Structure formats: C-alpha cells, structure tokens
Amino acid sequence: MILIGNILSFIAALFLLLSSVFKRKDKIFIFQFFECSTLAVASFFFGSYAGISTLLLSAVRNVLIAKNKFTKPLMYIFIALTVIIGIITNNRGILGLMPVIATVQITLCGCLLDGIIETKLSIAANTAIWVVYSFIIQDYSTGVTDSIVLIFALFSAFKSIRAQTTAKT
C-alpha cells in the first residue's frame, strides 16, 4: 500500500514542480489542482484521512482560484469546511492537524495575495509543512521530491524578486 502511495505521490510532485515555474496565477493553481487531486488518492494508501479531505477541498479551491472565482466569502466557507472536516476525519492526533494547517494557509494565499512573488513564497511555505508531514507518515516520495521542489520554488521566487528589483532600477 505504501509503495502505491509513494508512486502516486511522485506523480503529484511533478505537478507541484510544474506549478512553480509558471508566472501566471491561473496556471500555477491549475497544476496545484492536479497535485492535490493525485495526493488525495495517494493519501488513501497512507491512511491519512484528514489529508484526503483537505486535499479534495484544496483541489476544488484551486480550480476556483485559477478561474478567478474564489471570493472572500468562499474563502471563509472553505476554511470552515477544511477545519471542520479535517478535524472530523483526523485519525492521527496532533499530526493529523498538519494538513488542516497547510490547507488553511494556502487558502488564505489564494484569496488574499495577488502578487506572483507572494504566491510563490506562500506555496514554498506550504510545501515545507507538507514535507515534514510526508516524512512522518512514510510518504518518502513526496518528502524527498517536495524538498527538491521547495528549493526550486524558493529559487524561482528569489529569481522573480531579483527581476522585479532590477526592473525598478
């Protein structure tokens, strides 16, 4: 079961990697949709029920963000659903709250941040949470690949910062 989960997680990591190279928010969040959907299936094989519920909500949220339909009222609804369903489905104690925290963090990003640099940095922070969680639940594929993606995402964000700074001077 863990092997199947790790294979699916690797595929999801490729989607995450792709999301970090785009400069348009809609493209970033479409690939985040594919990543979350694939990880939701993988989470079944790791027995991470809070992960499944939060990732499915995240997939829907990412489509709404990509289509610029994610409003503040929807943000509040998704945050409430994430917390409520995440707590109800949590089967891992305090550890099981990590997917909830990560999902709330990235949901806030999707609605409150407009800039590409801020979006990339928020995705990097979110990826860091998932890296820790992945290693704890033995999702080594996601843990390793997301660590690499995290470094790549930070590099991409800092490259965007440098380009923006250079453009201003």
mmCIF file with all atom_site columns, all heavy atoms in Angstrom, residues 65-78:
data_model
loop_
_atom_site.group_PDB
_atom_site.id
_atom_site.type_symbol
_atom_site.label_atom_id
_atom_site.label_alt_id
_atom_site.label_comp_id
_atom_site.label_asym_id
_atom_site.label_entity_id
_atom_site.label_seq_id
_atom_site.pdbx_PDB_ins_code
_atom_site.Cartn_x
_atom_site.Cartn_y
_atom_site.Cartn_z
_atom_site.occupancy
_atom_site.B_iso_or_equiv
_atom_site.pdbx_formal_charge
_atom_site.auth_seq_id
_atom_site.auth_comp_id
_atom_site.auth_asym_id
_atom_site.auth_atom_id
_atom_site.pdbx_PDB_model_num
ATOM 1   N N   . ILE A 1 65 ? -9.725  29.308 -7.755  1.00 0.00 ? 65 ILE A N   1
ATOM 2   C CA  . ILE A 1 65 ? -8.691  30.346 -7.799  1.00 0.00 ? 65 ILE A CA  1
ATOM 3   C C   . ILE A 1 65 ? -8.203  30.538 -9.231  1.00 0.00 ? 65 ILE A C   1
ATOM 4   O O   . ILE A 1 65 ? -8.079  31.673 -9.704  1.00 0.00 ? 65 ILE A O   1
ATOM 5   C CB  . ILE A 1 65 ? -7.508  29.991 -6.868  1.00 0.00 ? 65 ILE A CB  1
ATOM 6   C CG1 . ILE A 1 65 ? -7.950  30.050 -5.402  1.00 0.00 ? 65 ILE A CG1 1
ATOM 7   C CG2 . ILE A 1 65 ? -6.334  30.956 -7.102  1.00 0.00 ? 65 ILE A CG2 1
ATOM 8   C CD1 . ILE A 1 65 ? -6.924  29.496 -4.426  1.00 0.00 ? 65 ILE A CD1 1
ATOM 9   N N   . ALA A 1 66 ? -7.950  29.443 -9.933  1.00 0.00 ? 66 ALA A N   1
ATOM 10  C CA  . ALA A 1 66 ? -7.455  29.526 -11.313 1.00 0.00 ? 66 ALA A CA  1
ATOM 11  C C   . ALA A 1 66 ? -8.447  30.250 -12.219 1.00 0.00 ? 66 ALA A C   1
ATOM 12  O O   . ALA A 1 66 ? -8.050  30.975 -13.130 1.00 0.00 ? 66 ALA A O   1
ATOM 13  C CB  . ALA A 1 66 ? -7.169  28.126 -11.850 1.00 0.00 ? 66 ALA A CB  1
ATOM 14  N N   . LYS A 1 67 ? -9.728  30.067 -11.963 1.00 0.00 ? 67 LYS A N   1
ATOM 15  C CA  . LYS A 1 67 ? -10.759 30.704 -12.783 1.00 0.00 ? 67 LYS A CA  1
ATOM 16  C C   . LYS A 1 67 ? -11.165 32.074 -12.245 1.00 0.00 ? 67 LYS A C   1
ATOM 17  O O   . LYS A 1 67 ? -12.133 32.666 -12.704 1.00 0.00 ? 67 LYS A O   1
ATOM 18  C CB  . LYS A 1 67 ? -11.971 29.783 -12.892 1.00 0.00 ? 67 LYS A CB  1
ATOM 19  C CG  . LYS A 1 67 ? -11.662 28.498 -13.642 1.00 0.00 ? 67 LYS A CG  1
ATOM 20  C CD  . LYS A 1 67 ? -12.912 27.707 -13.906 1.00 0.00 ? 67 LYS A CD  1
ATOM 21  C CE  . LYS A 1 67 ? -12.615 26.483 -14.707 1.00 0.00 ? 67 LYS A CE  1
ATOM 22  N NZ  . LYS A 1 67 ? -12.289 26.737 -16.092 1.00 0.00 ? 67 LYS A NZ  1
ATOM 23  N N   . ASN A 1 68 ? -10.422 32.545 -11.234 1.00 0.00 ? 68 ASN A N   1
ATOM 24  C CA  . ASN A 1 68 ? -10.672 33.844 -10.617 1.00 0.00 ? 68 ASN A CA  1
ATOM 25  C C   . ASN A 1 68 ? -12.092 33.949 -10.054 1.00 0.00 ? 68 ASN A C   1
ATOM 26  O O   . ASN A 1 68 ? -12.724 34.991 -10.123 1.00 0.00 ? 68 ASN A O   1
ATOM 27  C CB  . ASN A 1 68 ? -10.378 34.974 -11.602 1.00 0.00 ? 68 ASN A CB  1
ATOM 28  C CG  . ASN A 1 68 ? -9.999  36.249 -10.890 1.00 0.00 ? 68 ASN A CG  1
ATOM 29  O OD1 . ASN A 1 68 ? -9.551  36.219 -9.748  1.00 0.00 ? 68 ASN A OD1 1
ATOM 30  N ND2 . ASN A 1 68 ? -10.199 37.367 -11.563 1.00 0.00 ? 68 ASN A ND2 1
ATOM 31  N N   . LYS A 1 69 ? -12.585 32.849 -9.507  1.00 0.00 ? 69 LYS A N   1
ATOM 32  C CA  . LYS A 1 69 ? -13.931 32.798 -8.922  1.00 0.00 ? 69 LYS A CA  1
ATOM 33  C C   . LYS A 1 69 ? -13.877 32.632 -7.404  1.00 0.00 ? 69 LYS A C   1
ATOM 34  O O   . LYS A 1 69 ? -14.901 32.444 -6.766  1.00 0.00 ? 69 LYS A O   1
ATOM 35  C CB  . LYS A 1 69 ? -14.723 31.617 -9.520  1.00 0.00 ? 69 LYS A CB  1
ATOM 36  C CG  . LYS A 1 69 ? -14.823 31.630 -11.014 1.00 0.00 ? 69 LYS A CG  1
ATOM 37  C CD  . LYS A 1 69 ? -16.020 32.370 -11.464 1.00 0.00 ? 69 LYS A CD  1
ATOM 38  C CE  . LYS A 1 69 ? -16.161 32.175 -12.977 1.00 0.00 ? 69 LYS A CE  1
ATOM 39  N NZ  . LYS A 1 69 ? -16.916 33.217 -13.582 1.00 0.00 ? 69 LYS A NZ  1
ATOM 40  N N   . PHE A 1 70 ? -12.689 32.667 -6.850  1.00 0.00 ? 70 PHE A N   1
ATOM 41  C CA  . PHE A 1 70 ? -12.516 32.435 -5.415  1.00 0.00 ? 70 PHE A CA  1
ATOM 42  C C   . PHE A 1 70 ? -12.617 33.765 -4.688  1.00 0.00 ? 70 PHE A C   1
ATOM 43  O O   . PHE A 1 70 ? -11.704 34.580 -4.711  1.00 0.00 ? 70 PHE A O   1
ATOM 44  C CB  . PHE A 1 70 ? -11.172 31.758 -5.139  1.00 0.00 ? 70 PHE A CB  1
ATOM 45  C CG  . PHE A 1 70 ? -11.077 31.144 -3.781  1.00 0.00 ? 70 PHE A CG  1
ATOM 46  C CD1 . PHE A 1 70 ? -11.842 30.034 -3.454  1.00 0.00 ? 70 PHE A CD1 1
ATOM 47  C CD2 . PHE A 1 70 ? -10.230 31.662 -2.827  1.00 0.00 ? 70 PHE A CD2 1
ATOM 48  C CE1 . PHE A 1 70 ? -11.754 29.453 -2.199  1.00 0.00 ? 70 PHE A CE1 1
ATOM 49  C CE2 . PHE A 1 70 ? -10.128 31.090 -1.578  1.00 0.00 ? 70 PHE A CE2 1
ATOM 50  C CZ  . PHE A 1 70 ? -10.891 29.991 -1.262  1.00 0.00 ? 70 PHE A CZ  1
ATOM 51  N N   . THR A 1 71 ? -13.764 33.985 -4.054  1.00 0.00 ? 71 THR A N   1
ATOM 52  C CA  . THR A 1 71 ? -14.040 35.242 -3.373  1.00 0.00 ? 71 THR A CA  1
ATOM 53  C C   . THR A 1 71 ? -13.765 35.111 -1.877  1.00 0.00 ? 71 THR A C   1
ATOM 54  O O   . THR A 1 71 ? -13.584 34.005 -1.362  1.00 0.00 ? 71 THR A O   1
ATOM 55  C CB  . THR A 1 71 ? -15.517 35.621 -3.574  1.00 0.00 ? 71 THR A CB  1
ATOM 56  O OG1 . THR A 1 71 ? -16.329 34.593 -2.980  1.00 0.00 ? 71 THR A OG1 1
ATOM 57  C CG2 . THR A 1 71 ? -15.857 35.774 -5.062  1.00 0.00 ? 71 THR A CG2 1
ATOM 58  N N   . LYS A 1 72 ? -13.782 36.234 -1.183  1.00 0.00 ? 72 LYS A N   1
ATOM 59  C CA  . LYS A 1 72 ? -13.579 36.186 0.268   1.00 0.00 ? 72 LYS A CA  1
ATOM 60  C C   . LYS A 1 72 ? -14.652 35.360 0.970   1.00 0.00 ? 72 LYS A C   1
ATOM 61  O O   . LYS A 1 72 ? -14.322 34.568 1.849   1.00 0.00 ? 72 LYS A O   1
ATOM 62  C CB  . LYS A 1 72 ? -13.491 37.589 0.856   1.00 0.00 ? 72 LYS A CB  1
ATOM 63  C CG  . LYS A 1 72 ? -12.125 38.192 0.664   1.00 0.00 ? 72 LYS A CG  1
ATOM 64  C CD  . LYS A 1 72 ? -11.949 39.438 1.490   1.00 0.00 ? 72 LYS A CD  1
ATOM 65  C CE  . LYS A 1 72 ? -10.550 39.968 1.216   1.00 0.00 ? 72 LYS A CE  1
ATOM 66  N NZ  . LYS A 1 72 ? -10.258 41.153 1.977   1.00 0.00 ? 72 LYS A NZ  1
ATOM 67  N N   . PRO A 1 73 ? -15.937 35.498 0.596   1.00 0.00 ? 73 PRO A N   1
ATOM 68  C CA  . PRO A 1 73 ? -16.926 34.623 1.246   1.00 0.00 ? 73 PRO A CA  1
ATOM 69  C C   . PRO A 1 73 ? -16.634 33.137 1.022   1.00 0.00 ? 73 PRO A C   1
ATOM 70  O O   . PRO A 1 73 ? -16.769 32.327 1.935   1.00 0.00 ? 73 PRO A O   1
ATOM 71  C CB  . PRO A 1 73 ? -18.262 35.035 0.600   1.00 0.00 ? 73 PRO A CB  1
ATOM 72  C CG  . PRO A 1 73 ? -18.048 36.453 0.186   1.00 0.00 ? 73 PRO A CG  1
ATOM 73  C CD  . PRO A 1 73 ? -16.606 36.527 -0.235  1.00 0.00 ? 73 PRO A CD  1
ATOM 74  N N   . LEU A 1 74 ? -16.217 32.770 -0.197  1.00 0.00 ? 74 LEU A N   1
ATOM 75  C CA  . LEU A 1 74 ? -15.851 31.383 -0.452  1.00 0.00 ? 74 LEU A CA  1
ATOM 76  C C   . LEU A 1 74 ? -14.623 30.980 0.358   1.00 0.00 ? 74 LEU A C   1
ATOM 77  O O   . LEU A 1 74 ? -14.522 29.845 0.825   1.00 0.00 ? 74 LEU A O   1
ATOM 78  C CB  . LEU A 1 74 ? -15.578 31.147 -1.938  1.00 0.00 ? 74 LEU A CB  1
ATOM 79  C CG  . LEU A 1 74 ? -16.812 30.955 -2.828  1.00 0.00 ? 74 LEU A CG  1
ATOM 80  C CD1 . LEU A 1 74 ? -16.401 30.831 -4.290  1.00 0.00 ? 74 LEU A CD1 1
ATOM 81  C CD2 . LEU A 1 74 ? -17.605 29.749 -2.393  1.00 0.00 ? 74 LEU A CD2 1
ATOM 82  N N   . MET A 1 75 ? -13.695 31.910 0.529   1.00 0.00 ? 75 MET A N   1
ATOM 83  C CA  . MET A 1 75 ? -12.515 31.623 1.337   1.00 0.00 ? 75 MET A CA  1
ATOM 84  C C   . MET A 1 75 ? -12.932 31.227 2.755   1.00 0.00 ? 75 MET A C   1
ATOM 85  O O   . MET A 1 75 ? -12.455 30.240 3.296   1.00 0.00 ? 75 MET A O   1
ATOM 86  C CB  . MET A 1 75 ? -11.583 32.840 1.401   1.00 0.00 ? 75 MET A CB  1
ATOM 87  C CG  . MET A 1 75 ? -10.367 32.623 2.295   1.00 0.00 ? 75 MET A CG  1
ATOM 88  S SD  . MET A 1 75 ? -9.400  34.119 2.584   1.00 0.00 ? 75 MET A SD  1
ATOM 89  C CE  . MET A 1 75 ? -10.476 35.021 3.695   1.00 0.00 ? 75 MET A CE  1
ATOM 90  N N   . TYR A 1 76 ? -13.833 31.993 3.341   1.00 0.00 ? 76 TYR A N   1
ATOM 91  C CA  . TYR A 1 76 ? -14.293 31.689 4.696   1.00 0.00 ? 76 TYR A CA  1
ATOM 92  C C   . TYR A 1 76 ? -15.008 30.338 4.754   1.00 0.00 ? 76 TYR A C   1
ATOM 93  O O   . TYR A 1 76 ? -14.820 29.566 5.694   1.00 0.00 ? 76 TYR A O   1
ATOM 94  C CB  . TYR A 1 76 ? -15.204 32.800 5.228   1.00 0.00 ? 76 TYR A CB  1
ATOM 95  C CG  . TYR A 1 76 ? -14.494 34.123 5.384   1.00 0.00 ? 76 TYR A CG  1
ATOM 96  C CD1 . TYR A 1 76 ? -14.989 35.273 4.780   1.00 0.00 ? 76 TYR A CD1 1
ATOM 97  C CD2 . TYR A 1 76 ? -13.310 34.229 6.123   1.00 0.00 ? 76 TYR A CD2 1
ATOM 98  C CE1 . TYR A 1 76 ? -14.334 36.489 4.914   1.00 0.00 ? 76 TYR A CE1 1
ATOM 99  C CE2 . TYR A 1 76 ? -12.654 35.441 6.259   1.00 0.00 ? 76 TYR A CE2 1
ATOM 100 C CZ  . TYR A 1 76 ? -13.171 36.564 5.653   1.00 0.00 ? 76 TYR A CZ  1
ATOM 101 O OH  . TYR A 1 76 ? -12.520 37.762 5.787   1.00 0.00 ? 76 TYR A OH  1
ATOM 102 N N   . ILE A 1 77 ? -15.801 30.045 3.729   1.00 0.00 ? 77 ILE A N   1
ATOM 103 C CA  . ILE A 1 77 ? -16.504 28.762 3.675   1.00 0.00 ? 77 ILE A CA  1
ATOM 104 C C   . ILE A 1 77 ? -15.497 27.617 3.572   1.00 0.00 ? 77 ILE A C   1
ATOM 105 O O   . ILE A 1 77 ? -15.595 26.621 4.295   1.00 0.00 ? 77 ILE A O   1
ATOM 106 C CB  . ILE A 1 77 ? -17.509 28.732 2.492   1.00 0.00 ? 77 ILE A CB  1
ATOM 107 C CG1 . ILE A 1 77 ? -18.673 29.692 2.778   1.00 0.00 ? 77 ILE A CG1 1
ATOM 108 C CG2 . ILE A 1 77 ? -18.002 27.316 2.230   1.00 0.00 ? 77 ILE A CG2 1
ATOM 109 C CD1 . ILE A 1 77 ? -19.559 29.966 1.581   1.00 0.00 ? 77 ILE A CD1 1
ATOM 110 N N   . PHE A 1 78 ? -14.506 27.759 2.691   1.00 0.00 ? 78 PHE A N   1
ATOM 111 C CA  . PHE A 1 78 ? -13.505 26.700 2.525   1.00 0.00 ? 78 PHE A CA  1
ATOM 112 C C   . PHE A 1 78 ? -12.660 26.517 3.787   1.00 0.00 ? 78 PHE A C   1
ATOM 113 O O   . PHE A 1 78 ? -12.330 25.387 4.150   1.00 0.00 ? 78 PHE A O   1
ATOM 114 C CB  . PHE A 1 78 ? -12.612 26.968 1.311   1.00 0.00 ? 78 PHE A CB  1
ATOM 115 C CG  . PHE A 1 78 ? -13.155 26.371 0.042   1.00 0.00 ? 78 PHE A CG  1
ATOM 116 C CD1 . PHE A 1 78 ? -14.134 27.018 -0.683  1.00 0.00 ? 78 PHE A CD1 1
ATOM 117 C CD2 . PHE A 1 78 ? -12.697 25.153 -0.419  1.00 0.00 ? 78 PHE A CD2 1
ATOM 118 C CE1 . PHE A 1 78 ? -14.650 26.468 -1.842  1.00 0.00 ? 78 PHE A CE1 1
ATOM 119 C CE2 . PHE A 1 78 ? -13.204 24.581 -1.580  1.00 0.00 ? 78 PHE A CE2 1
ATOM 120 C CZ  . PHE A 1 78 ? -14.184 25.249 -2.292  1.00 0.00 ? 78 PHE A CZ  1
#
